[in-house]
Amino acid sequence: MASAMMRPIRPATAFLFFTIFLGAMPGAACAQPLRRAGYLGVQVSPAPVTGPVRAKGVVIDAVFPGGSAQEAGLEPEDLVTRVDGRDVEDREEFARIVRKLRAGDAIRVEGRRATGPFALSITVKARAPEVAAGMEVSYESVAVDGHRRRTLVAVPAEASGKRPAVLFVTGVGCFSQEILDPNDGVARFLHGLTRAGFLTMRVEKPSMGDSEGPACASPEADLDSEVRGYVAGLRALRKDPRVDPDNVFVVGLSMGGIEAPLIAAAEPVKGVVVINTAAKPFFEYLLETRRRQLQLGKTPFDEMDKALALSTTCSYRLLIEKRTPDEILKSAPECAEHIRFPAPYTYMQQWAALNMGAAWKAVAAPVLIVVGTSDYIAGVFDSPYLSELINSYQPGRATLTLVNGMDHYLTRAPSMRESFTRTGKGEFEPAVLDAVVEWLRQHIRSREGA
């Protein structure tokens, strides 16, 4: 079962903005343009079962207008068996191949249709840009560990002069931060920050969106490398000529709130905002949250205790003893469901090894902690503890704000159980945006008045 921040801030934590600029822009850390991800424009399903063995390949279910596939002549019901010289074993392999395509790539697609075998040459088109009223976005990049990661910088429309800025740190998991749904709660929050006058930056994870680097789900893409990416983005943000370097903030959501102190300790910021995050050691937090989610799912108590006993054993082997999943499953295949996370095992082990007290002790900036009372994943259980932890080092540094009826996805939910049942399909709660914008403006004013 997924647990705690194991339920990620969905791929819709991406943004849609008004204008797109391809390549490096003012403030970009890398002069060489980073190629745009390609858009094939198809929906596929597994090849049909013929006899005892499923056929190799994928069936084209739909061809979307404006995509590379439509322009090249792919049709619904085509069976695709090879792409760019590689056999397509199944839908997962097809997705891996397509995910690596970049605008301008020339590929050959082979397969069969009702009239016989076919082979098509396709010049891959760029993925459509993000669009939203009242803001512009530039596509930039930063160098991290010898490769480039896409940064997306949103600027209020018709902005002039140097602006206060926010580095947004997203949740756990492998997904692009480009917006798919502008009505998503996280998208509404980020659009609101930009329209309130803040320049905002997102940093894509390795191999996600246009980014280069190791596969996001591979052991190389660990927590340390993800933090290095955000630190590189923060440094580029502070040097951006559009930004007031004395008014740069980090805003971390969910897992981003755990990474936020690590980022802020590496590069000075004016303040830190964490929303619906955790503070306790991960192993402890994990077990608490798994029990809470089992209860919300109305699991009988005897079954719950049995599941948690196994979960404790399996998780301990992975997180504390630092065994690999393969090592664990050789002797305990029953652990499979209990060591499955949306990030690489190396990432989870590094999270488990974090001393959050020490991480926050190293942050000198003021901190706003925002938590929704209907968040069943994180927040309301850990946030008073987090506030006490931070203030123990410097009294008054942390401010805790509760948003009644808000869940982990920044949407309205009258209870944790309702949020658990619907998993983030509610209406955006604007109170979270109001609280964050007011706090940010207050800390900008406090400097100007000093």
Side-chain angles (χ1 to χ4, degrees):
M1 171 176 182
S3 65
M5 276 166 272
M6 305 308 93
R7 292 198 180 207
I9 303 293
R10 306 175 313 285
T13 55
F15 315 152
L16 297 170
F17 293 105
F18 184 64
T19 304
I20 176 92
F21 299 87
L22 294 179
M25 292 295 297
C30 296
Q32 184 179 2
L34 185 59
R35 293 175 67 196
R36 188 79 173 104
Y39 176 61
L40 199 57
V42 295
Q43 179 177 306
V44 302
S45 61
V49 176
T50 54
V53 180
R54 181 181 295 277
K56 293 182 179 181
V58 294
V59 174
I60 303 296
D61 290 333
V63 179
F64 300 115
S68 315
Q70 181 195 49
E71 191 171 283
L74 269 177
E75 301 174 358
E77 300 185 7
D78 283 349
L79 175 67
V80 174
T81 57
R82 287 174 65 84
V83 175
D84 209 21
R86 295 174 57 182
D87 290 336
V88 176
E89 297 291 333
D90 51 29
R91 187 163 49 177
E92 288 70 29
E93 178 65 16
F94 179 79
R96 282 192 291 270
I97 296 171
V98 170
R99 194 180 296 124
K100 295 179 180 178
L101 296 178
R102 292 293 180 263
D105 285 348
I107 61 171
R108 182 179 174 86
V109 176
E110 302 171 62
R112 296 191 303 275
R113 55 178 48 149
T115 56
F118 71 86
L120 299 173
S121 295
I122 298 179
T123 299
V124 179
K125 301 174 69 173
R127 182 185 298 171
E130 300 178 351
V131 179
M135 59 197 72
E136 299 177 350
V137 65
S138 56
Y139 279 42
E140 307 172 7
S141 64
V142 291
V144 186
D145 300 337
H147 60 263
R148 293 173 297 170
R149 296 190 195 172
R150 171 66 74 206
T151 60
L152 299 104
V153 181
V155 185
E158 301 180 358
S160 61
K162 294 183 179 292
R163 313 293 304 179
V166 166
L167 174 73
F168 177 71
V169 187
T170 191
V172 69
C174 293
F175 50 87
S176 173
Q177 294 192 60
E178 292 186 87
I179 278 188
L180 301 177
D181 179 7
N183 294 314
D184 173 81
V186 178
R188 293 279 300 277
F189 173 76
L190 288 165
H191 284 167
L193 283 180
T194 305
R195 290 174 181 141
F198 292 89
L199 183 148
T200 64
M201 175 188 275
R202 296 154 284 153
V203 181
E204 291 275 33
K205 301 182 184 188
S207 78
M208 293 291 101
D210 301 336
S211 286
E212 301 169 340
C216 179
S218 69
E220 292 79 12
D222 57 18
L223 176 60
D224 290 346
S225 73
E226 185 164 299
V227 170
R228 287 194 295 272
Y230 282 118
V231 172
L234 179 58
R235 288 172 177 160
L237 189 60
R238 295 188 73 234
K239 294 176 182 178
D240 192 315
R242 299 165 293 187
V243 170
D244 176 359
D246 294 326
N247 279 307
V248 176
F249 300 83
V250 172
V251 175
L253 177 60
S254 188
M255 183 67 200
I258 292 165
E259 297 178 348
L262 306 176
I263 299 164
E267 184 72 14
V269 293
K270 184 64 181 294
V272 178
V273 178
V274 295
I275 306 170
N276 291 345
T277 194
K280 294 177 183 175
F282 176 56
F283 187 66
E284 175 185 350
Y285 158 79
L286 174 66
L287 297 177
E288 287 180 356
T289 307
R290 280 181 168 166
R291 180 175 292 278
R292 178 166 61 253
Q293 294 184 5
L294 287 168
Q295 281 187 273
L296 290 170
K298 298 183 179 180
T299 304
F301 283 88
D302 58 334
E303 294 181 18
M304 185 189 312
D305 287 349
K306 181 180 179 181
L308 284 170
L310 180 59
S311 181
T312 301
T313 299
C314 299
S315 300
Y316 188 89
R317 292 172 181 172
L318 181 80
L319 301 172
I320 308 303
E321 294 180 345
K322 291 185 170 55
R323 302 188 196 181
T324 68
D326 287 345
E327 289 171 341
I328 295 169
L329 295 176
K330 281 180 182 178
S331 59
E334 66 275 13
C335 284
E337 290 297 318
H338 299 274
I339 60 172
R340 183 175 298 152
F341 296 103
Y345 74 90
T346 49
Y347 183 111
M348 308 310 299
Q349 290 173 347
Q350 289 172 350
W351 181 3
L354 276 181
N355 181 326
M356 293 306 301
W360 281 110
K361 187 177 182 179
V363 177
V367 180
L368 174 65
I369 304 163
V370 183
V371 55
T373 59
S374 296
D375 180 5
Y376 67 89
I377 294 173
V380 72
F381 305 96
D382 259 14
S383 293
Y385 174 87
L386 178 56
S387 178
E388 183 178 353
L389 181 160
I390 295 171
N391 286 328
S392 71
Y393 299 119
Q394 187 176 330
R397 183 153 58 96
T399 302
L400 175 61
T401 298
L402 298 181
V403 179
N404 290 324
M406 184 181 76
D407 66 7
H408 196 69
Y409 308 102
L410 311 186
T411 57
R412 291 172 175 166
S415 67
M416 292 183 193
R417 187 176 297 280
E418 178 169 323
S419 178
F420 179 84
T421 300
R422 75 184 188 204
T423 312
K425 296 179 180 178
E427 181 182 352
F428 174 63
E429 175 48 75
V432 62
L433 176 63
D434 295 341
V436 172
V437 168
E438 174 57 30
W439 188 88
L440 294 173
R441 287 175 173 167
Q442 180 182 14
H443 284 78
I444 293 171
R445 287 196 300 268
S446 67
R447 173 183 177 274
E448 292 173 346

